[in-house]
């Protein structure tokens, strides 16, 4: 049952984690808008989510080494690797900085909204579980 | 599950940027205030200062917060103004005025204040999201 619960939330949890990670990346871009030679970074959310969910399914990537048959089998999900991409600026700047404030802020707001919608869905899932329990 | 790494916390990133931008604003204020200071404590005219920003990446990471790598003195030559009655005038009657470019400093100030605002917005959004995350399942 607990495994089922885990699966029930797995995709949403992975999406939430990735959204948080992306908001950090975008915050770094906004923070470094005036830093010479800073290159704006981002990642492809869709492919990273697929990767994270796939890795969650086949979670034999990290198994705890055991020396006795009575040891518990510890399993850890591996983190998706940090493959940050570079943003291609539509206008270049003289100091080598590729942050475009408007694009970054739009991306950040969009990301925040999607994070929030994820939260809403998780809340709704919990509510439906609870109502099933209370029947 | 990718957990937010402790070193690259969104609050640290936006906070470091705000600190850096406010230092830049401080330097700009000093430059503007001393735009007419003919002599400093050392008897020389004031020289404009500029901050240098750098990425404060953790362990060679190329994303992260901002840090002020240093405050440099502007190497532009002093403005020479003809004012023979000034006690600081040289034998030819010229006074060395600070090399502060007021127009440049004003644009610097606007840029710093806009960047600061953007980071405040990031911080507020992150805070709202964190509070909402804390109320999951309630």
């Amino acid at each position: 049952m607990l495994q089922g619960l885990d699966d029930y939330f797995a995709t949403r949890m992975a999406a939430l984690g990735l959204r948080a990670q992306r908001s950090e990346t975008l915050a770094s871009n906004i923070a470094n808008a005036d830093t010479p030679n800073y290159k704006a970074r981002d990642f492809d959310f869709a492919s990273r989510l697929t990767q994270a969910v796939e890795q969650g399914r086949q979670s034999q990537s990290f198994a705890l080494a055991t020396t006795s048959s009575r040891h518990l089998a510890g399993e850890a999900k591996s983190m998706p690797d940090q493959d940050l991409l570079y943003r291609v600026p539509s206008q270049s700047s003289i100091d080598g900085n590729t942050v475009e404030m408007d694009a970054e802020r739009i991306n950040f707001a969009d990301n925040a909204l999607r994070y929030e919608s994820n939260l809403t869905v998780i809340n709704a899932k919990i509510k439906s579980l609870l109502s099933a329990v209370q029947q | 599950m990718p957990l937010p790494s402790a070193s690259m916390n969104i609050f640290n990133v936006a906070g470091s940027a705000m600190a850096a931008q406010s230092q830049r604003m401080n330097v700009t204020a000093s430059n503007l205030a001393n735009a007419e200071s003919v002599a400093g404590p050392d008897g020389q005219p004031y020289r404009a200062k500029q901050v240098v920003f750098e990425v404060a990446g953790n362990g060679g990471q190329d994303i992260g917060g901002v840090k002020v790598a240093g405050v440099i003195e502007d190497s532009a030559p002093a403005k020479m103004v003809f004012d023979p009655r000034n006690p600081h005038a040289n034998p030819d009657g010229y006074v060395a005025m600070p090399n502060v470019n007021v127009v440049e400093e004003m644009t610097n100030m606007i840029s710093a204040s806009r960047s600061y605002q953007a980071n405040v917005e990031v911080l507020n959004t992150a805070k709202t999201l964190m509070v909402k995350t804390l109320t999951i399942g309630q």
Side-chain angles (χ1 to χ4, degrees):
Chain A
M1 177 55 202
L2 277 177
Q3 184 61 43
L5 260 184
D6 228 17
D7 284 346
Y8 185 61
F9 288 113
T11 313
R12 290 289 156 186
M13 294 277 280
L16 209 58
L18 277 176
R19 285 283 169 213
Q21 213 177 331
R22 182 157 186 244
S23 73
E24 276 172 5
T25 312
L26 294 175
S28 163
N29 289 349
I30 294 177
N32 285 291
D34 295 324
T35 309
N37 287 319
Y38 177 83
K39 307 293 177 210
R41 307 296 288 272
D42 201 352
F43 57 79
D44 181 19
F45 184 84
S47 67
R48 285 286 290 273
L49 182 61
T50 326
Q51 199 185 339
V53 172
E54 285 300 313
Q55 280 188 355
R57 290 231 176 91
Q58 31 169 296
S59 54
Q60 69 269 29
S61 41
F62 282 114
L64 196 67
T66 54
T67 50
S68 161
S69 56
R70 298 172 66 193
H71 283 168
L72 293 174
E75 278 181 358
K77 291 170 184 173
S78 64
M79 301 234 287
D81 25 331
Q82 293 268 349
D83 45 354
L84 287 177
L85 309 172
Y86 290 93
R87 203 184 301 291
V88 179
S90 59
Q91 298 173 66
S92 57
S93 73
I94 200 164
D95 61 353
N97 186 307
T98 61
V99 178
E100 285 175 334
M101 198 54 130
D102 41 4
E104 299 301 338
R105 285 176 73 167
I106 288 169
N107 275 322
F108 189 82
D110 175 73
N111 193 60
L113 190 71
R114 284 167 197 270
Y115 184 94
E116 222 177 312
S117 67
N118 254 315
L119 284 182
T120 312
V121 172
I122 289 178
N123 270 326
K125 282 189 156 199
I126 292 174
K127 282 217 180 76
S128 67
L129 271 186
L130 279 177
S131 65
V133 167
Q134 283 161 358
Q135 284 296 313
Chain B
M1 199 67 53
L3 287 172
S5 51
S7 55
M8 221 192 90
N9 183 308
I10 190 163
F11 293 102
N12 289 344
V13 170
S16 69
M18 281 157 66
Q21 296 294 350
S22 79
Q23 190 170 345
R24 180 178 173 201
M25 195 109 75
N26 247 323
V27 169
T28 304
S30 164
N31 288 348
L32 281 176
N34 287 293
E36 306 287 332
S37 299
V38 176
D42 56 352
Q44 295 297 310
Y46 177 85
R47 298 192 75 83
K49 313 273 191 292
Q50 303 294 347
V51 289
V52 180
F53 286 168
E54 211 173 67
V55 183
N58 180 40
Q61 268 186 321
D62 46 7
I63 61 169
V66 191
K67 68 168 185 246
V68 176
V71 181
I72 54 160
E73 282 200 342
D74 205 326
S75 56
K79 270 183 293 186
M80 302 306 283
V81 175
F82 185 68
D83 184 6
R85 279 175 297 181
N86 193 308
H88 292 283
N90 65 7
D92 295 331
Y94 281 92
V95 183
M97 297 294 280
N99 57 351
V100 176
N101 185 334
V102 177
V103 177
E104 219 170 77
E105 296 302 331
M106 288 304 285
T107 51
N108 239 333
M109 188 186 78
I110 294 167
S111 165
S113 101
R114 290 293 179 216
S115 297
Y116 192 95
Q117 276 176 21
N119 281 293
V120 170
E121 204 175 295
V122 167
L123 205 63
N124 275 331
T125 312
K127 199 184 83 181
T128 317
L129 289 182
M130 287 300 137
V131 170
K132 289 212 166 126
T133 312
L134 287 176
T135 58
I136 283 184
Q138 278 177 22

